Amino acid sequence: MFALLFTFGLSWGLFDWQSPPQLVSFHRKLKNVYCLEKSVQERNTSACVLFFTGGSSIMSPIIYEDVLTSVAERNVAVCVPSFRYQNLDFLIKRLSEEYREVVIAGHSSGCTVALNNCHHKQVKKVILMDPVNTRISNTTTQFNIRHIKSVLFVNAMKSYKITFEPFGLPFIPFLRITPHLLDTRNTCKIKHIDCSDYGHCDILNPVWSNLMHFTRIAVGNRVRSNAMFQSYHDWISDTWCDFIDS
């Protein structure tokens, strides 16, 4: 099954970082970055989310494009560095010079990459969507994020439990990142939002989310309509933006 999905993913651009037209240069010494933002957006008055995709950021941003476009429509830029992006420190520095603020976010195991890059003094906020800890050899060591002032956890709860309508095993049975794994300042504000009716891959574009749902790899919302996806993605966008503006 996984070999079939991998082959299907290659043929449909799941891991493709070369084809996106939204590649932006922030410095001649930096590799171009996938970026979505309003064409009339004034960067110095807007926030930028540096987003790390699933699979420790190996997944192409194309499969997240619907939700990321929804965020960009709210006047928040979204930049997605490629897998093992070189000079992330310099990229964050350049983004902090271009935008009002830089917020780091991640989905799934991309959250481990996100937390590993929260040591920059320019970054004060982090968003964790169904965070997964990939430090398998040492799962109890805390992530040092003492520069962070506020953290938002958004958990699609079907990721963590057995479901029966339809049947599905939890996508994240263990290695979940919870607040006790974060080494924060005493004044850090941590907010939790749990979405009981959604699954781990409902954040993705419908074609990919449905693939994961109907193969029972990651069961999501029972209603698989375009209206459901748009409503959920818009809710995620509003939630991110409310957190950024808080």
Side-chain angles (χ1 to χ4, degrees):
M1 172 63 73
F2 286 101
L4 178 62
L5 287 175
F6 185 80
T7 302
F8 183 81
L10 287 176
S11 65
W12 282 81
L14 181 59
F15 312 105
D16 186 5
W17 284 88
Q18 301 303 317
S19 62
Q22 301 89 351
L23 292 177
V24 176
S25 173
F26 287 96
H27 194 276
R28 59 183 177 82
K29 293 183 179 180
L30 288 171
K31 183 179 179 181
N32 290 350
V33 178
Y34 174 93
C35 185
L36 290 176
E37 60 184 335
K38 280 187 175 182
S39 58
V40 295
Q41 181 170 326
E42 294 185 11
R43 287 179 173 175
N44 62 349
T45 62
S46 305
C48 173
V49 173
L50 186 64
F51 179 65
F52 295 93
T53 63
S56 297
S57 78
I58 198 172
M59 297 300 177
S60 170
I62 294 299
I63 68 175
Y64 294 87
E65 196 160 46
D66 286 357
V67 69
L68 299 184
T69 298
S70 182
V71 174
E73 288 173 348
R74 287 156 174 75
N75 208 39
V76 174
V78 184
C79 293
V80 187
S82 57
F83 180 60
R84 293 182 177 175
Y85 187 89
Q86 299 296 314
N87 296 323
L88 265 173
D89 289 351
F90 187 34
L91 174 62
I92 292 173
K93 180 177 182 295
R94 283 293 301 119
L95 292 177
S96 67
E97 293 168 349
E98 289 279 334
Y99 296 93
R100 185 191 77 220
E101 67 174 313
V102 177
V103 178
I104 286 183
H107 175 238
S108 192
S109 54
C111 291
T112 293
V113 185
L115 289 169
N116 285 336
N117 286 281
C118 283
H119 55 276
H120 301 274
K121 292 183 179 180
Q122 300 97 329
V123 178
K124 302 300 182 184
K125 298 174 182 176
V126 60
I127 300 170
L128 305 173
M129 307 286 295
D130 286 344
V132 175
N133 189 356
T134 59
R135 303 179 305 178
I136 298 175
S137 61
N138 193 356
T139 58
T140 58
T141 299
Q142 291 184 309
F143 293 92
N144 182 354
I145 59 168
R146 286 191 164 269
H147 289 301
I148 298 299
K149 292 184 176 180
S150 52
V151 181
L152 172 64
F153 282 86
V154 180
N155 296 315
M157 296 308 293
K158 287 191 175 184
S159 305
Y160 307 100
K161 61 184 180 181
I162 296 175
T163 57
F164 296 97
E165 292 184 10
F167 177 78
L169 296 174
F171 189 84
I172 308 175
F174 47 83
L175 299 179
R176 178 179 179 179
I177 296 175
T178 55
H180 81 273
L181 282 176
L182 306 182
D183 179 14
T184 64
R185 59 173 73 182
N186 292 333
T187 57
C188 180
K189 297 178 181 179
I190 298 179
K191 182 177 182 179
H192 293 264
I193 300 179
D194 294 337
C195 308
S196 59
D197 295 329
Y198 296 92
H200 190 68
C201 291
D202 285 337
I203 190 175
L204 305 181
N205 289 4
V207 63
W208 294 106
S209 181
N210 284 333
L211 174 66
M212 299 297 283
H213 174 82
F214 289 116
T215 55
R216 301 295 187 269
I217 295 173
V219 170
N221 192 286
R222 290 180 61 191
V223 180
R224 309 306 298 173
S225 66
N226 288 335
M228 181 280 291
F229 282 108
Q230 182 173 346
S231 175
Y232 184 52
H233 293 168
D234 285 347
W235 176 84
I236 291 174
S237 304
D238 289 337
T239 300
W240 284 21
C241 293
D242 288 345
F243 172 74
I244 291 169
D245 290 338
S246 64

